[in-house]
């Protein structure tokens, strides 16, 4: 079985974005009426998925995708908690409907209603709702709700602990995923996302978060940002700061995905990072679309790259399936109950 741990609903029917636009318009002009969530039919959802994510999954050989709302559309920089709460609920309910229509192919991962400097009460409540009531198997956690200005404390700060306590209790991991960049110095897809992946890893190297939460699990996407390429730097900095080696201190709780869009990058990832810490993913129909003119391979057809990597059958099985089932135990339980 091939499980893609990183997929976003980037092809939602246009009414969903119209609702968001109306939310933002009312924040700018309080005299406008409060918008109501869009009416979207099952057929519209089917069309949006069957002609996009599901079509490519079938063509490329993936069996199941962990599906969450569009990352850049989370827009956590919008400061109003009530707006964030409703937007997360509506977006997650839409994911729930996709999973209900295509249960063989998708499992839900939720957006959290975060705001810059806001409490995590709403985020924790939404996590519980999605896991306990909607059957979701994980969440996306934004370490920088400000959108590129990094006003939040590091993920090792006690500020985040209430959410971690809920994650541990529910036994669900978080994928570290920022949203859109508001800082003109940082392109959302080419800079901000990778900055966040790399920065969070360094935060974890500097502190002892996993002593406090030994079962807490994070997936750092996009191949871990710059981390595999600079693995020696992080080991060297750990020694310089009198910190433990990251391979022992961090990598029992942290995992990287394969959203790396060229063969050399995938090969490096597998040479540097232990196989047990790599989860297959494509972020299909996400940041990088189209075909590499040098190879003729779609940039986000990451299965092709993993297939060509120098892996044993056992390693390939771990990357494509076993590791994701281990990191997402609620997914494993669901698939086991279904005989898969």
């Amino acid at each position: 079985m091939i499980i893609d741990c990183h997929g976003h609903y980037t092809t939602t029917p246009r009414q969903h974005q119209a609702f968001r636009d109306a939310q933002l318009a009312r924040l700018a002009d309080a005299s406008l009426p409060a918008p109501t969530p869009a009416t979207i039919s099952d057929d519209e959802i089917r069309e949006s998925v069957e002609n996009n994510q599901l079509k490519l999954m079938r063509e490329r050989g993936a069996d199941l995708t962990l599906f969450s709302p569009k990352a850049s559309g989370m827009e956590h920089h919008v400061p109003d908690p009530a707006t964030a709460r409703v937007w997360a609920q509506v977006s997650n309910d839409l994911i729930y409907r996709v999973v209900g229509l295509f249960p063989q192919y998708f499992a839900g991962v939720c957006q959290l209603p975060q705001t810059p400097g806001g409490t995590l009460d709403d985020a924790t409540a939404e996590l519980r709702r999605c896991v306990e009531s909607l059957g979701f198997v994980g969440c996306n956690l934004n370490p920088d709700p400000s959108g590129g200005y990094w006003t939040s404390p590091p993920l090792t700060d006690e500020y985040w602990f209430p959410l971690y306590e809920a994650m541990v209790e529910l036994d669900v991991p978080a994928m570290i995923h920022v949203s859109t960049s508001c800082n003109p110095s940082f392109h959302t897809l080419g800079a901000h996302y990778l900055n966040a992946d790399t920065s969070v890893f360094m935060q974890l190297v500097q502190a002892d978060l996993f002593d406090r939460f030994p079962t807490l699990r994070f997936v750092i996407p996009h191949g871990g940002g710059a981390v595999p390429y600079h693995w020696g730097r992080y080991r060297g900095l750990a020694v310089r700061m009198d910190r433990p080696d990251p391979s022992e201190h961090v990598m029992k709780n942290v995992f990287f995905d394969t959203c790396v869009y060229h063969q050399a990058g995938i090969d490096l990832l597998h040479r540097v990072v232990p196989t047990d810490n790599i989860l297959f993913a494509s972020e299909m129909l996400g940041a990088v679309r189209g075909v590499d003119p040098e190879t003729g391979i779609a940039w986000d057809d990451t299965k092709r790259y993993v297939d060509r990597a120098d892996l044993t059958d056992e390693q390939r099985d771990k990357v494509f399936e076993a590791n994701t089932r281990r990191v997402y135990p609620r997914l494993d339980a669901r698939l086991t109950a279904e005989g898969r």
Side-chain angles (χ1 to χ4, degrees), residues 15-76:
Q15 303 97 299
H16 184 59
Q17 184 60 47
F19 168 70
R20 178 58 170 175
D21 294 342
Q23 273 195 315
L24 299 179
R26 188 168 191 268
L27 285 178
D29 181 358
S31 68
L32 294 174
T36 56
T39 299
I40 301 173
S41 69
D42 286 353
D43 285 343
E44 288 174 307
I45 293 175
R46 288 190 186 96
E47 181 180 4
S48 71
V49 173
E50 286 180 333
N51 294 327
N52 293 291
Q53 290 87 357
L54 189 54
K55 176 178 181 289
L56 292 177
M57 285 172 63
R58 287 166 171 160
E59 290 177 357
R60 298 176 183 179
D63 297 298
L64 183 141
T65 295
L66 302 191
F67 213 43
S68 65
K70 180 181 177 181
S72 62
M74 296 187 297
E75 295 183 318
H76 292 133

Side-chain angles (χ1 to χ4, degrees), residues 120-121 124 128 157-167 213:
L120 292 173
D121 293 346
T124 302
R128 290 188 179 279
D157 190 86
E158 291 184 2
Y159 166 79
W160 303 96
F161 286 7
L163 180 65
Y164 296 163
E165 289 166 357
M167 288 171 56
F213 298 101

Side-chain angles (χ1 to χ4, degrees), residues 24 53 57 66 75 88 121 125-126 135 140-141 144 152 156 170 172 174 179 215 217 248 254 275-276 297 304 339:
L24 299 179
Q53 290 87 357
M57 285 172 63
L66 302 191
E75 295 183 318
D121 293 346
E126 181 64 5
N140 289 337
L141 174 60
D144 174 36
S152 293
T156 52
L170 296 168
V172 294
S179 187
T215 61
R217 301 181 300 283
E248 292 296 324
V254 172
T275 300
D276 287 347
I297 298 173
R304 296 277 293 272

Side-chain angles (χ1 to χ4, degrees), residues 261-306:
Y261 300 130
H262 64 136
Q263 190 66 51
I266 288 287
D267 293 342
L268 173 70
L269 176 67
H270 286 283
R271 284 199 301 269
V272 174
V273 177
T275 300
D276 287 347
N277 293 83
I278 301 175
L279 280 57
F280 174 70
S282 69
E283 202 175 13
M284 189 170 61
L285 292 176
V288 186
R289 308 186 191 188
V291 174
D292 183 344
E294 293 183 0
T295 65
I297 298 173
W299 298 106
D300 57 7
D301 188 359
T302 53
K303 181 179 179 295
R304 296 277 293 272
Y305 304 129
V306 175

Side-chain angles (χ1 to χ4, degrees), residues 65-68 95-96 99 106-110 135-139 334:
T65 295
L66 302 191
F67 213 43
S68 65
I95 295 294
Y96 176 69
V99 174
F106 296 100
V109 170
C110 65
F136 283 28
V137 301
C139 64
R334 176 189 137 181

Side-chain angles (χ1 to χ4, degrees), residues 192-207:
H192 186 42
Y193 282 16
L194 303 182
N195 290 347
D197 304 333
T198 308
S199 297
V200 164
F201 186 84
M202 189 62 201
Q203 292 174 7
L204 299 174
V205 169
Q206 291 177 272

